[in-house]
């Protein structure tokens, strides 16, 4: 068979079915077994949840990098470049490695039909093995119990971030049902970190932990987050013994994500014989240096333009609370692009009190909600105007309102489209004030 180019590899992988006929955990188990279990010599931190998985992953990888632990990070979806999904110490996998590993995987007969996600996970674990990673931070794709990543075995540390209503057609229509799917990654022999949850979700998580005889459980309690402030585009806070922590990540929800990452890192580093004093230094530096594109990310300061991948009710509620906290008394221009299967009515309601107006976009996806329909839903509320965004040119600094801030939010695919457009434009126009 002729060797495929990088572009051909991506085309084949990305056009695999989104969902297979068998659970992803079963398919990936077969694949990984045939590939010699590439994950077997790596310590793993496994992360599930509705919101915050990517941020917690980014915090943890930054902390472990500071500790000198070579760490792979597997996340999804990507914003701009497929290679974002597979990183080692913050650096994306090379095009050459994607091409080599992709050709090998596509030629292999696994006795089943993998999805795109199955191929991505296998590629990531092979790459981490080749790079001799000591640790891997693995984010679930959808749910947990049946997710492809649940084939990795028993992780050293398991983290469950905020659970909310999302993917209800697959995971269930109540919090306890959704939590039961997420709880499927909790296994005997792991140590567990939980973000705060609604009672129905927390009960399921703790019952699962008891059933699996998990001996160490830590809960990120927001009451332990104190002295929060925002200065010059950065946030500062204290958490338990860690005083005046600094982070570039914006949003009040990032305090809890950082706290969860701190607790998981404490467990992970202690198990490797690292002293509390050194661990505190690595945690402090790691939190400060963490970057995560597309999450309350400021693309332009003058005029102000921020993007955020808030794509469900919980995410938009966190965005609204953050905007109120960081910019009290202000109102904003919102640009919105979402999928039709999301609770977009709830998302609109959250932001209406903060809105000057809305512009809507049809995301490039067959699952997208049409911009015209979305704008009609907003106008029906009778509170503010809503029109269509005709081109991303309208979001360039020279076209934005200098008197009020502009916030684009919604699907990560939409945020990725904006990020790519900004990157392409700034390659040509060097005098834009982009940060």
């Amino acid at each position: 068979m002729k060797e495929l180019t990088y572009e051909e590899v991506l085309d084949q992988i990305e056009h695999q079915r989104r969902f297979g006929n068998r659970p992803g955990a079963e398919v990936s188990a077969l694949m990984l077994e045939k590939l010699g279990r590439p994950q077997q010599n790596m310590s793993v931190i496994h992360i599930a949840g509705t919101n915050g998985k990517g941020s917690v992953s980014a915090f943890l990888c930054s902390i472990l990098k500071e500790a000198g632990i070579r760490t792979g990070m597997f996340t999804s979806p990507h914003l701009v470049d497929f290679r974002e999904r597979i990183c080692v110490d913050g650096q994306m996998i090379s095009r050459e490695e994607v091409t080599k590993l992709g050709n090998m995987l596509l030629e292999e007969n696994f006795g089943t039909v993998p999805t795109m996600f199955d191929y991505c996970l296998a590629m990531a674990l092979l790459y981490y093995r080749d790079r001799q990673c000591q640790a891997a931070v693995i984010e679930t794709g959808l749910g947990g119990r049946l997710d492809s990543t649940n084939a990795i075995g028993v992780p050293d540390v398991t983290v469950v971030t905020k659970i909310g209503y999302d993917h209800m057609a697959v995971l269930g229509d109540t919090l306890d049902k959704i939590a039961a799917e997420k709880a499927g990654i909790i296994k005997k022999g792991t140590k567990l970190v939980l973000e705060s949850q609604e009672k129905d979700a927390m009960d399921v998580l703790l019952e699962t932990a008891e059933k699996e005889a998990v001996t160490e459980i830590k809960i990120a309690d927001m009451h332990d987050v104190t002295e929060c402030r925002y200065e010059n585009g950065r946030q500062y806070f204290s958490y338990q013994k860690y005083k005046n922590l600094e982070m570039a990540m914006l949003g009040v929800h990032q305090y809890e994500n950082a706290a969860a990452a701190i607790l998981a890192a404490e467990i992970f580093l202690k198990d490797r014989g690292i002293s509390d004093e050194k661990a505190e230094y690595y945690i402090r530096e790691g939190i400060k240096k963490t970057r995560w594109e597309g999450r309350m990310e400021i693309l332009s300061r003058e005029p102000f333009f921020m993007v955020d991948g808030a794509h469900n009710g919980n995410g938009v509620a966190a965005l609204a609370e953050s905007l109120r906290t960081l910019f009290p008394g202000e109102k904003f221009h919102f640009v919105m692009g979402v999928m039709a299967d999301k609770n977009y009515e709830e998302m609109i309601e959250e932001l209406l009190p903060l809105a000057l107006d809305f512009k809507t976009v049809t995301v490039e996806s067959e699952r997208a909600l049409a911009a015209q329909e979305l704008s009609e839903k907003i106008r029906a509320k009778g509170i503010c105007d809503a029109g269509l965004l005709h081109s991303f040119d309208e979001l360039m600094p020279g076209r934005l309102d200098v008197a009020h801030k502009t916030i684009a939010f919604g699907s990560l695919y939409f945020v990725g489209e904006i990020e790519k457009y900004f990157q392409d434009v700034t390659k040509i126009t060097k005098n834009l004030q982009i940060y």
Side-chain angles (χ1 to χ4, degrees), residues 137-153:
V137 176
I138 306 292
E139 177 190 315
T140 59
L142 178 62
R145 180 176 65 93
L146 302 177
D147 188 72
S148 301
T149 62
N150 216 20
I152 58 177

Side-chain angles (χ1 to χ4, degrees), residues 383-403:
I383 296 175
C384 67
D385 188 36
L388 306 185
L389 185 80
H390 299 290
S391 167
F392 284 153
D393 282 340
E394 297 176 42
L395 302 179
M396 293 301 102
R399 302 279 299 276
L400 293 173
D401 180 3
V402 297

Side-chain angles (χ1 to χ4, degrees), residues 151-166:
I152 58 177
V154 179
D156 294 57
V157 183
T158 299
V159 182
V160 182
T161 64
K162 275 282 188 287
I163 294 175
Y165 293 98
D166 204 2

Side-chain angles (χ1 to χ4, degrees), residues 241-242 270 274-281:
K241 67 179 182 181
Y242 304 90
K270 184 177 181 180
I274 294 174
S275 69
D276 291 348
E277 183 180 6
K278 286 184 177 179
E280 180 172 349
Y281 174 80

Side-chain angles (χ1 to χ4, degrees), residues 322-338:
S322 297
L323 292 176
R324 289 189 186 96
T325 302
L326 299 176
F327 312 111
E330 294 193 34
K331 291 204 170 188
F332 308 87
H333 300 290
F334 288 108
V335 184
M336 183 177 184
V338 295

Side-chain angles (χ1 to χ4, degrees), residues 363-375:
V363 182
E364 288 187 14
S365 169
E366 60 185 19
R367 297 165 47 227
L369 179 66
Q372 184 65 44
E373 182 178 351
L374 180 57
S375 65

